[in-house]
Amino acid sequence: MSISMQQLLQRMNKEIEEAMLRHEDPVRVREHARAVRLLCDLVLEEERQESAGAPETGKKNDTQPTAEEMRKMMGQDPPERKSTNDKLDHDGANGSSIFDF
């Protein structure tokens, strides 16, 4: 069920009229103001959803990660390792293990 923009605006108008009639009671005015704010939020949310539903053509969506980025984030890319047969080239190193002295 969808509420039309016209219905929202009519309800806002009714809440504003009620607030104006009760202007001497700040508590009641605040209640009507909160109702108007809620209705405004509904209008703005509907606007956001409509604009998000219609993607612009020719514009890359930078918020979605690529497949490669997803693999890296999930840890599915194999780590790059050196061959175990490689000898260390440091002074005094004589093997591929850190325990070889």
Side-chain angles (χ1 to χ4, degrees):
M1 184 172 112
S2 175
I3 300 171
S4 72
M5 186 67 70
Q6 185 66 28
Q7 289 172 314
L8 289 170
L9 294 172
Q10 287 173 347
R11 183 60 188 212
M12 279 187 227
N13 193 30
K14 182 179 177 188
E15 292 294 334
I16 291 170
E17 288 174 356
E18 289 289 325
M20 291 175 71
L21 289 173
R22 311 264 193 267
H23 69 275
E24 66 279 338
D25 185 1
V27 173
R28 299 286 293 214
V29 170
R30 271 192 240 107
E31 288 175 7
H32 292 291
R34 281 190 194 99
V36 171
R37 184 190 327 180
L38 175 64
L39 293 166
C40 289
D41 289 342
L42 288 172
V43 169
L44 295 173
E45 182 65 29
E46 184 175 309
E47 182 180 288
R48 263 187 252 129
Q49 288 176 354
E50 287 174 358
S51 66
E56 296 177 26
T57 57
K59 185 177 180 184
K60 182 183 174 204
N61 187 356
D62 291 330
T63 60
Q64 295 296 322
T66 65
E68 181 183 348
E69 291 171 330
M70 285 298 294
R71 282 193 306 274
K72 286 181 180 179
M73 286 189 285
M74 299 301 287
Q76 295 175 349
D77 274 351
E80 295 179 16
R81 291 187 181 188
K82 290 185 177 181
S83 168
T84 56
N85 295 332
D86 292 343
K87 296 233 180 205
L88 296 177
D89 291 334
H90 297 139
D91 293 336
N94 61 0
S96 60
S97 173
I98 61 169
F99 299 108
D100 289 341
F101 298 101

